[in-house]
Structures are given as C-alpha cells and as structure tokens.
Amino acid sequence: MNVSRSGYRVFSANSTTACTELAKKITERLGVELGKSVVYQESNTETRVDVKESVRGQDIFIIQTIPRDVNTAIMELLVMAYALKTSCAKNIIGVIPYFPYSKQCKMRKRGSIVCKLLSSMLAKAGLTHIITMDLHQKEIQGFFSFPVDNLRASPFLIQYIQEEVRLHYNVHSVMLSLFLKQSYAERLRLGLAVMHGEAHHSESDMADGRHSPPLSRTTTGHTGLELPLMMAKEKPPITVVGDVGGRIAIIVDDIIDDVEDFVAAADILKERGAYKIYIMATHGLLSAEAPRLIEESAIDEVVVTNTVPHEVQKLQCPKIKTVDVSMILAEAIRRIHNGESMAYLFRNIAVDD
C-alpha cells in the first residue's frame, strides 16, 4: 500500500524501543510506514511532540502502549493528539490496547472515578475514537463521548490453550474461575472448577469498605432515622470447588499485576493435586516483585498478550510467555478507515467474554 495514497497515518505516541515494537508490528501488517514524529521529555520533564509530516485532512491512528511510567504515557498521548488536532487532522483515533486507570472506574469512599476524568481529557485533546482491548469493566465505554471499540483477546488466548497447552500434555484440563471466565470452559469443552474466597491482606478490608458502616455510632443532637446496623462482610480463605486432581488448571483474568492472589491460588491447587497450573491474562502489568514471586511459586506458566511491554519481566522470569494480538489491532484500524463493519472482529463473542 502506498503511504501517500492510503489516506491515513499511523503514529507511535512513545519513542522508546519497547513501546514502538507493537506499532511496528501493526504497520507491517497494514503495509504502511510508521508516521514520522519525535516524542521526548525536556530537561525539566515536560513532554514535547514534533510531528514531522503533513496530516491535514487524514485519519490519524495513535498507538500508545502503557509502560511503567503511566502518567508520562498519558501525557504523551494527550500532547500528540492535540498536536495532530491543531495540524488539521480529519479524525484522530487512539489505539490504546491497555486503557490506564481502568481499575479506578468506581467510587471508593471519598475518592474519584479517575477513568471518567481520563476519558474527558482525551476528548478535550482531540481524540474522536478509541480502539482498546478487554476493558476492566465493559461499562467504562459509557464514560466516553465518542465511539469505543473494545476488542477481545479471548480468541488468541483460547488458541494458545488449544495449541500449546492441551496438545503437549496427554492429561485432562480444567478451567478455574478465580475471577472469571465460564465462557472459556464452554468454548474449550473443559470442566469448570470454582475458586471461592480470597487471600487475606492486612489492608484489603480498608480498601473495599467491607467494614462500613462502623459497628458503633456516636452522634450528637438529633439522630434522625435509625438505620439497621449492618454486619461487616468477611470472605473466607481461598477454597476450590471441583476436582482438579491430576489435571491442568487454567486460571483466566483480564489483568495480572500484583500476583499474591494468583500465587496463593496456585498453592491451593497444588495441594489439591493439580498437575500443571497456567495463569492467562490479557494485560500483563506484572508490577514490583511480580516476576520474582511467579518464578518462586507453584505456577508453571503465565501467558499474557503484548498489549503492555513486559520484556524486562520476561528476562527476570522465563515462565512468562507472550501472545501477539497485533493482527486484530491492525484489522480494526483498516476497517475503521475504510468504513467497514467491526462485527467480524466480534463474531462468536458473547457479552460475558
């Protein structure tokens, strides 16, 4: 495809090697060159973006993966979108495989819904459309004033299970539902076991408000209505409902960041006789000590997609494997530019996938 006649450009909003890798894979599949731009930080850490070619009247796709410094990545995306807007781009579409702050999409005590704030910032900067993958909560799409295409990584993860897991081991598998997903078990024709409860952490009960309202009330003056006193919630420790003995246990989630819960679950599964333990997730953030904890745990393999750069973590932990999802992102870009239906990318995808 001739870049000058394609009617669209693909830019990377981050100039680091790790974050441009996905952008290069996407442009190679599309048969176009990566747009010429420079993204860097000034000596005072201000973000600067210089677009090196004309974008007037064209569809612009900005690919931004989220590395360790989340806030810098967001600022790079905002500045680049605004630069393209003021350069008279026709449409500006953000390709953000992992949408940052997606876990902060609910009100917590006196906090805020940061995900809603970020959606407003992106719209103000000039974005007119977003392509993302496996939002933490599908309802996040309602925060945006422009279209959002929430793609799914499940076909790629299911393909990995079929080709790399089940064919290599002549043993029955079972799908574990630690957080989700019954739909995986149904598609793979596997048995389903359920993991109930949670690993106990000293600060977890303070974060989710399970001891609210307080057990005792101290009021002065008029007390008003007498509300029923609620008992505090308390989840039991992790238990397994179902037979996992001698089987491959596969736990699926959308994000794997802090891995304490997964490590605790793996220990329980090993005690119950699981043969192999796989953790599969779309977004492998793997923060802090996650690689070391995985390496030292009973987990046999952690499979994530390349929505988030994690090459450093893979060097620290050989158990981490990567599935490439650049194919579906490239096809989404092509279909949006050509005005084609996106339904093909969601074929056989159910609401709970």
Short mmCIF file of all heavy atoms in Angstrom, two decimals, residues 210-218 225-233:
data_model
loop_
_atom_site.label_atom_id
_atom_site.label_comp_id
_atom_site.label_asym_id
_atom_site.label_seq_id
_atom_site.Cartn_x
_atom_site.Cartn_y
_atom_site.Cartn_z
N ARG A 210 -15.63 -3.01 53.38
CA ARG A 210 -16.49 -4.09 53.87
C ARG A 210 -16.82 -3.92 55.36
O ARG A 210 -17.69 -4.60 55.87
CB ARG A 210 -15.84 -5.45 53.62
CG ARG A 210 -14.59 -5.71 54.43
CD ARG A 210 -13.96 -7.01 54.01
NE ARG A 210 -13.65 -6.97 52.60
CZ ARG A 210 -13.14 -7.99 51.95
NH1 ARG A 210 -12.90 -9.11 52.56
NH2 ARG A 210 -12.87 -7.89 50.66
N HIS A 211 -16.11 -3.04 56.08
CA HIS A 211 -16.45 -2.74 57.46
C HIS A 211 -17.23 -1.44 57.58
O HIS A 211 -17.24 -0.81 58.64
CB HIS A 211 -15.18 -2.67 58.32
CG HIS A 211 -14.50 -3.98 58.46
ND1 HIS A 211 -15.16 -5.13 58.85
CD2 HIS A 211 -13.21 -4.35 58.25
CE1 HIS A 211 -14.30 -6.14 58.89
NE2 HIS A 211 -13.12 -5.70 58.52
N SER A 212 -17.86 -1.00 56.50
CA SER A 212 -18.66 0.21 56.53
C SER A 212 -20.14 -0.15 56.35
O SER A 212 -20.46 -0.97 55.49
CB SER A 212 -18.22 1.14 55.40
OG SER A 212 -19.01 2.31 55.37
N PRO A 213 -21.10 0.38 57.14
CA PRO A 213 -20.88 1.38 58.18
C PRO A 213 -20.24 0.79 59.43
O PRO A 213 -20.23 -0.42 59.60
CB PRO A 213 -22.30 1.88 58.47
CG PRO A 213 -23.16 0.70 58.15
CD PRO A 213 -22.51 0.04 56.98
N PRO A 214 -19.65 1.65 60.30
CA PRO A 214 -18.98 1.14 61.51
C PRO A 214 -19.95 0.45 62.45
O PRO A 214 -21.17 0.68 62.41
CB PRO A 214 -18.39 2.42 62.13
CG PRO A 214 -19.24 3.52 61.60
CD PRO A 214 -19.62 3.10 60.20
N LEU A 215 -19.40 -0.40 63.30
CA LEU A 215 -20.24 -1.16 64.21
C LEU A 215 -20.84 -0.28 65.30
O LEU A 215 -21.88 -0.60 65.87
CB LEU A 215 -19.41 -2.29 64.84
CG LEU A 215 -18.92 -3.36 63.86
CD1 LEU A 215 -18.08 -4.40 64.57
CD2 LEU A 215 -20.09 -4.01 63.15
N SER A 216 -20.18 0.81 65.63
CA SER A 216 -20.69 1.71 66.67
C SER A 216 -20.89 3.09 66.09
O SER A 216 -20.12 3.53 65.23
CB SER A 216 -19.73 1.76 67.85
OG SER A 216 -18.47 2.27 67.43
N ARG A 217 -21.96 3.79 66.57
CA ARG A 217 -22.25 5.13 66.07
C ARG A 217 -22.20 6.10 67.24
O ARG A 217 -22.73 5.84 68.32
CB ARG A 217 -23.63 5.17 65.43
CG ARG A 217 -23.76 4.33 64.18
CD ARG A 217 -25.07 4.66 63.45
NE ARG A 217 -26.24 4.28 64.22
CZ ARG A 217 -26.87 3.12 64.05
NH1 ARG A 217 -26.45 2.26 63.17
NH2 ARG A 217 -27.93 2.83 64.78
N THR A 218 -21.53 7.23 67.02
CA THR A 218 -21.52 8.29 68.02
C THR A 218 -22.10 9.52 67.37
O THR A 218 -21.54 10.05 66.41
CB THR A 218 -20.07 8.56 68.49
OG1 THR A 218 -19.26 8.89 67.38
CG2 THR A 218 -19.50 7.32 69.19
N LEU A 225 -33.31 9.22 61.44
CA LEU A 225 -33.80 7.85 61.29
C LEU A 225 -32.81 6.86 61.87
O LEU A 225 -31.59 7.02 61.75
CB LEU A 225 -34.03 7.55 59.80
CG LEU A 225 -35.10 8.38 59.10
CD1 LEU A 225 -35.11 8.03 57.62
CD2 LEU A 225 -36.47 8.13 59.71
N GLU A 226 -33.34 5.81 62.45
CA GLU A 226 -32.50 4.74 62.96
C GLU A 226 -32.34 3.68 61.87
O GLU A 226 -33.26 2.92 61.59
CB GLU A 226 -33.13 4.12 64.21
CG GLU A 226 -33.05 4.99 65.44
CD GLU A 226 -31.62 5.14 65.92
OE1 GLU A 226 -30.82 4.21 65.71
OE2 GLU A 226 -31.30 6.21 66.48
N LEU A 227 -31.16 3.65 61.24
CA LEU A 227 -30.90 2.69 60.17
C LEU A 227 -30.50 1.34 60.75
O LEU A 227 -29.86 1.28 61.81
CB LEU A 227 -29.79 3.20 59.25
CG LEU A 227 -30.07 4.53 58.54
CD1 LEU A 227 -28.86 4.95 57.72
CD2 LEU A 227 -31.29 4.42 57.65
N PRO A 228 -30.85 0.26 60.06
CA PRO A 228 -30.43 -1.07 60.54
C PRO A 228 -28.91 -1.16 60.58
O PRO A 228 -28.22 -0.65 59.71
CB PRO A 228 -31.01 -2.03 59.50
CG PRO A 228 -32.08 -1.25 58.81
CD PRO A 228 -31.67 0.18 58.85
N LEU A 229 -28.40 -1.82 61.60
CA LEU A 229 -26.96 -1.99 61.73
C LEU A 229 -26.50 -3.16 60.87
O LEU A 229 -26.99 -4.28 61.02
CB LEU A 229 -26.59 -2.25 63.20
CG LEU A 229 -25.09 -2.30 63.52
CD1 LEU A 229 -24.46 -0.94 63.24
CD2 LEU A 229 -24.88 -2.71 64.98
N MET A 230 -25.60 -2.89 59.94
CA MET A 230 -25.13 -3.91 59.00
C MET A 230 -23.97 -4.68 59.60
O MET A 230 -23.07 -4.10 60.22
CB MET A 230 -24.71 -3.26 57.68
CG MET A 230 -25.83 -2.60 56.92
SD MET A 230 -26.98 -3.79 56.23
CE MET A 230 -25.97 -4.53 54.96
N MET A 231 -23.96 -5.97 59.37
CA MET A 231 -22.82 -6.79 59.78
C MET A 231 -21.70 -6.63 58.76
O MET A 231 -21.94 -6.55 57.56
CB MET A 231 -23.23 -8.26 59.86
CG MET A 231 -24.26 -8.54 60.94
SD MET A 231 -23.61 -8.26 62.59
CE MET A 231 -22.37 -9.58 62.66
N ALA A 232 -20.47 -6.60 59.23
CA ALA A 232 -19.34 -6.48 58.34
C ALA A 232 -19.17 -7.75 57.51
O ALA A 232 -19.37 -8.87 57.99
CB ALA A 232 -18.06 -6.23 59.13
N LYS A 233 -18.82 -7.57 56.21
CA LYS A 233 -18.58 -8.72 55.34
C LYS A 233 -17.19 -9.30 55.63
O LYS A 233 -16.26 -8.57 55.93
CB LYS A 233 -18.66 -8.31 53.87
CG LYS A 233 -20.03 -7.88 53.43
CD LYS A 233 -20.10 -7.73 51.91
CE LYS A 233 -19.20 -6.64 51.40
NZ LYS A 233 -19.33 -6.45 49.95
#
